Amino acid sequence: MASIQTVNGFREFFPEECALRNYIFDTWRAVARRYGFVEYEGPVLEPTDLFRKKSGDEITSQLFCFTTKGEDDVSLRPEVTPSLARMATARQRDFKKPIKWFQIGSCFRYETPQRGRTREFVQFNADILGDASLATDAELIALAIDTMREFGVSTEDFEIRLSNREIWNLYLAERNIAPEQTSAFLQIIDKIERAKPEDTENKLAAIGLSLANVRAFMASADENNPAFAALRENLAARGLWQYVRIDATIVRGLAYYTGTVFEVFDKKHGLRAVAGGGRYDKLCALMSDGKVDMPAAGFAMGDVVLGILLSKTPGAQMKLTSALLAASSIDAFVVVADEAQRGNALAAVQALRAAGVRVDYSFGPQKVGKQFQAAEDRKARLAITFGAEYPEVVIKNLLARSQSAVAVDSLVAEVQKLLAEPAIGPLIA
């Protein structure tokens, strides 16, 4: 019988991969909280009608949808925004505006796995609801920029590609293109850099436009367009406008966007967008059947493409290596040199752990040399030896290659003191 393999497109996380994932999560949380966002969580499993309501019946081809034993039509969430809109509108009176929420969790899409895209992935979602000003859009773009910078990705490595749905709405209105053609037109623009020019030309001709005219308009859309003035002023005041490039091809394929749209791209490796989002002022009204008309904007950042980018970017690699080292290392390893002292050693292990020290030890009798090797393997800063000298114990600093003897009653305080000192040696984080 063949061994059972992981389901195609789903991932398993061995300790090193799990440490990378947790590093990404910790960074997302730290920056979001720095910006005053608070964390929430929605269900992983939702009624399929929630996603149909937002995106139409065709969305089911992209979902893991099934019927439960109770004959409920449900789907694993492909994104979080519909759940957010439902949750926020249901209790919007309970929260001061603007609502600034973030969420980190798994999403699922039934599609062919490829580089940077898996069937199961984790997204960081940050949204602001209840404020219609462009200051909200600027705050979200700033959060996206600072998140990338926190990972050690610099202005040489990534950029924000910014556009606005309104400039295209005006473009179509000036050319008397029927409003019902807007969705089809935006789908063409969304794929314009990937599609064959002749295919794009034919699709544009079908709605009364030409590729040359569209290209000319795109070339004219720059930071001097009034649609970007407030954003430029806000982000320039923060010293962040240097990260932004106006790109009219950014329209975001999802139909619910209404204004500002942006994506985060790397500059050197040709990866998929690391993040994307924008303003979606009509979604809350749609999801609440018109009961709550609340403006909103947000973005999502996925862990798959981000992980690839971090592994390829030198500045990010340094921070990542440090984080992985910290995740896999311990503070101290207790060496039992005299088995008669094992009980006292175990008492010390528990006392140190109670004080917040990360401690490990050998479960059974073992040569002292092997125990010290285990301490090195676990990247311990300190080795604490319990031998015949007890109640005195020896603390060896494995980084500085120094040691001292202390009374066991002073052990916790001495260990905390040593750990508070800067690490010096080959294992510096």
Side-chain angles (χ1 to χ4, degrees), residues 36 73 108 120 150 170 175 185 187 211 293 308 315 323 339:
D73 184 10
F108 308 84
E120 180 269 332
E150 188 72 12
L170 181 60
R175 287 154 182 80
F185 173 76
Q187 291 292 334
L211 180 57
D293 189 5
I308 296 173
E339 278 299 314

Side-chain angles (χ1 to χ4, degrees), residues 116-422:
R117 189 181 290 269
T118 57
R119 289 178 167 177
E120 180 269 332
F121 53 96
V122 178
Q123 278 191 343
F124 164 53
N125 290 267
D127 296 84
I128 302 177
L129 301 93
D131 187 295
S133 73
L134 285 172
T136 287
D137 304 28
E139 181 80 344
L140 289 163
I141 293 170
L143 172 60
I145 292 170
D146 269 349
T147 300
M148 297 299 291
R149 297 201 302 185
E150 188 72 12
F151 282 117
V153 187
S154 70
T155 185
E156 290 80 25
D157 301 308
F158 82 98
E159 64 184 1
I160 303 290
R161 297 183 189 174
L162 174 68
S163 187
N164 192 309
R165 283 282 184 90
E166 288 301 316
I167 67 172
W168 284 115
N169 292 338
L170 181 60
Y171 170 86
L172 294 174
E174 289 175 344
R175 287 154 182 80
N176 297 314
I177 304 301
E180 55 267 25
Q181 298 280 15
T182 300
S183 179
F185 173 76
L186 292 174
Q187 291 292 334
I188 296 170
I189 299 302
D190 191 41
K191 298 178 175 62
I192 197 169
E193 301 299 339
R194 304 187 298 275
K196 295 179 180 179
E198 57 269 26
D199 292 341
T200 302
E201 184 73 76
N202 292 335
K203 290 178 180 179
L204 288 171
I207 58 178
L209 297 168
S210 71
L211 180 57
N213 188 268
V214 167
R215 287 287 190 189
F217 175 77
M218 288 166 53
S220 70
D222 59 24
E223 64 180 29
N224 296 314
N225 190 298
F228 307 117
L231 279 175
R232 183 178 65 178
E233 181 180 1
N234 186 305
L235 293 170
R238 306 174 191 232
L240 299 178
W241 185 250
Q242 62 179 316
Y243 292 90
V244 177
R245 178 168 71 85
I246 304 302
D247 183 352
T249 68
I250 302 299
V251 294
R252 305 288 292 158
L254 298 172
Y256 62 75
Y257 287 109
T258 57
T260 299
V261 284
F262 68 92
E263 293 184 351
V264 180
F265 277 93
D266 83 278
K267 291 182 177 181
K268 299 177 180 178
H269 308 291
L271 300 174
R272 294 174 177 273
V274 180
R279 179 159 287 280
Y280 53 94
D281 285 338
K282 299 177 182 178
L283 185 62
C284 288
L286 173 66
M287 302 308 289
S288 66
D289 296 322
K291 296 174 184 176
V292 179
D293 189 5
M294 184 163 53
F299 74 87
M301 181 177 292
D303 73 317
V304 179
V305 178
L306 177 61
I308 296 173
L309 179 58
L310 297 184
S311 70
K312 292 177 174 292
T313 306
Q317 285 178 341
M318 293 177 62
K319 298 192 75 169
L320 176 59
T321 299
S322 176
L324 295 180
L325 175 61
S328 63
S329 65
I330 57 175
D331 297 317
F333 192 96
V334 169
V335 175
V336 182
D338 181 357
E339 278 299 314
Q341 302 303 327
R342 179 164 290 273
N344 293 320
L346 290 173
V349 166
Q350 292 308 118
L352 288 165
R353 287 172 174 171
V357 181
R358 297 173 299 165
V359 184
D360 206 354
Y361 66 100
S362 295
F363 291 163
Q366 202 172 51
K367 292 182 178 179
V368 170
K370 286 191 174 183
Q371 293 184 66
F372 271 97
Q373 184 58 54
E376 296 277 2
D377 293 342
R378 291 302 317 276
K379 304 178 183 68
R381 282 187 64 178
L382 308 174
I384 304 167
T385 303
F386 281 72
E389 300 84 2
Y390 187 86
E392 208 173 54
V393 297
V394 176
I395 303 176
K396 184 173 183 179
N397 188 322
L398 298 177
L399 300 182
R401 303 300 179 186
S402 61
Q403 67 179 47
S404 59
V406 300
V408 71
D409 291 344
S410 305
L411 178 61
V412 171
E414 185 63 24
V415 167
Q416 290 177 322
K417 176 184 173 183
L418 289 170
L419 293 176
E421 297 173 355

